[in-house]
Amino acid sequence: MYVVTGVTGHTGSVAAETLLNAKVPVRVVVRDEAKGAQWKARGAEVAVASFEDPASMTRALAGATGAYVLLPPPAWNQAGLAQNRAALTEKLLEALRNAAPAHTVFLSSVGAQHADKTGPIKTLHPIENALRASGHRATFLRAAFFMENWGGSLAGALESGSLYYGLVANKKIPQVATRDIGTTAAKALLEPHASGVRVIELGGPEELSLEDTAAIMSKVSGKPVKAVTVPTEAFVATLEGMGASKDLAGWYGEMMTGINADLVAWEGKGAQHVRGSTTLETVLRAMLAK
Ligand SMILES: NC(=O)c1ccc[n+]([C@@H]2O[C@H](COP(=O)([O-])OP(=O)(O)OC[C@H]3O[C@@H](n4cnc5c(N)ncnc54)[C@H](OP(=O)(O)O)[C@@H]3O)[C@@H](O)[C@H]2O)c1
């Protein structure tokens, strides 16, 4: 039985769909039973559970040949972020310890090898460490910057003609489509390694800078868009102005600094490097079509 958490989200939905297409038994995990109906109709088992409730998640993960697990993102206005993340992490690890899936594919991130200075990415580091220490079989799927992150900037960029972001304008960074994360997660579940930890570093077809991103936005929309680097302090203040908690905005600022300084970067060191095939142009065109 393959268990998929986060199935209503970007990556979990694709992982579950790919596993169902491979005709293997699938159990999807939802918090709201109604959201499981479409998966049930496609032949999946549905478990109702939350990472906030380790007993329910232990039941959902029990007996798994393989499990796809992610740390759900915090609320945009989450205060006390470090404590909130630490508490959720402990509950997630409790469920994994108790259920002990034969193989866990954990959605991690580029830069998760570092304990600090990476913003929200630093919350994934202790989970990697705990999984490694458990001796259980695990795959760390370290994904690049999601192409879908641009969804929050696209409309404003087309309207104003400027794509404002905290990245150095010509710095090329790996970016990946969430569809490619979901299919890679399913593949990792279906093709497990023998034992211990495997690290997969997953990027897209090519590295892209803020300038490249603005140019692709221009191409798909037919409107001029130029890249504008926002200094970190102003970037943080803008996020707060958009309702982000002080903590979360600060972490995003830290992440921008970490990316610009090459700290948030592939570790290498024996990791398997994989490239997804979905281009940013495809992702942006799909966003515009909605
Ligand atoms: N953005 C990036 O650039 C980036 C890069 C690398 C890694 N990541 C990682 O990717 C993760 C997000 O993955 P995604 O985009 O696939 O997710 P997503 O689309 O944001 O969806 C989150 C999923 O988690 C579920 N969820 C929320 N709270 C839950 C809880 N308490 N218990 C169980 N399930 C819960 C949601 O279900 P409901 O329908 O119940 O809400 C939803 O299915 C981030 O947390 C981060 O760790 C992000």
Side-chain angles (χ1 to χ4, degrees):
M1 176 63 70
Y2 293 91
V3 181
V4 180
T5 66
V7 75
T8 60
H10 291 108
T11 62
S13 57
V14 177
E17 172 195 302
T18 309
L19 290 166
L20 285 169
N21 289 342
K23 308 266 184 262
V24 294
V26 176
R27 181 187 303 148
V28 299
V29 184
V30 289
R31 291 192 291 176
D32 169 1
E33 193 164 9
K35 292 187 182 174
Q38 56 157 316
W39 296 102
K40 199 168 180 177
R42 297 187 57 185
E45 258 184 37
V46 177
V48 179
S50 168
F51 283 113
E52 295 288 357
D53 172 11
S56 69
M57 194 53 81
T58 301
R59 286 192 295 275
L61 295 171
T65 314
Y68 177 62
V69 171
L70 50 79
L71 180 68
W76 185 237
N77 61 353
Q78 182 71 55
L81 195 52
Q83 298 87 324
N84 165 272
R85 297 288 89 188
L88 187 59
T89 294
E90 196 32 63
K91 290 174 181 168
L92 179 150
L93 291 174
E94 182 184 335
L96 284 175
R97 268 195 310 273
N98 292 340
H103 176 207
T104 300
V105 173
F106 174 59
L107 176 57
S108 188
S109 170
V110 58
Q113 68 272 25
H114 301 296
D116 202 1
K117 308 283 182 213
T118 58
I121 298 168
K122 66 188 164 199
T123 63
L124 305 171
H125 181 78
I127 300 178
E128 284 198 0
N129 277 353
L131 288 172
R132 200 186 290 277
S134 74
H136 291 154
R137 187 164 43 173
T139 298
F140 302 161
L141 185 52
R142 288 190 186 155
F145 183 95
F146 290 4
M147 291 176 180
E148 282 73 6
N149 294 344
W150 297 116
S153 315
L154 184 59
L158 300 191
E159 208 177 290
S160 68
S162 297
L163 173 62
Y164 297 99
Y165 214 68
L167 295 171
V168 169
N170 63 357
K171 181 172 182 56
K172 297 209 182 258
I173 64 162
Q175 301 190 24
V176 66
T178 51
R179 167 150 289 280
D180 289 336
I181 301 173
T183 55
T184 306
K187 188 165 185 280
L189 287 168
L190 294 170
E191 297 171 10
H193 54 299
S195 64
V197 166
R198 162 178 65 174
V199 179
I200 298 177
E201 298 190 321
L202 177 63
E206 59 181 337
E207 282 67 41
L208 296 166
S209 66
L210 188 63
E211 282 171 351
D212 296 330
T213 303
I216 297 169
M217 285 184 177
S218 232
K219 181 178 176 191
V220 300
S221 67
K223 295 180 179 173
V225 181
K226 68 174 192 298
V228 181
T229 299
V230 181
T232 305
E233 266 181 35
F235 183 70
V236 170
T238 304
L239 295 182
E240 278 189 68
M242 291 164 65
S245 69
K246 197 173 173 52
D247 287 356
L248 190 63
W251 279 15
Y252 277 113
E254 186 178 272
M255 181 170 73
M256 287 305 119
T257 304
I259 296 175
N260 289 331
D262 279 332
L263 181 75
V264 175
W266 300 130
E267 184 179 27
K269 272 198 191 163
Q272 202 179 319
H273 198 77
V274 176
R275 283 189 184 275
S277 58
T278 309
T279 62
L280 181 59
E281 181 173 336
T282 301
V283 170
L284 294 179
R285 280 195 194 283
M287 281 178 193
L288 283 179
K290 278 188 185 158

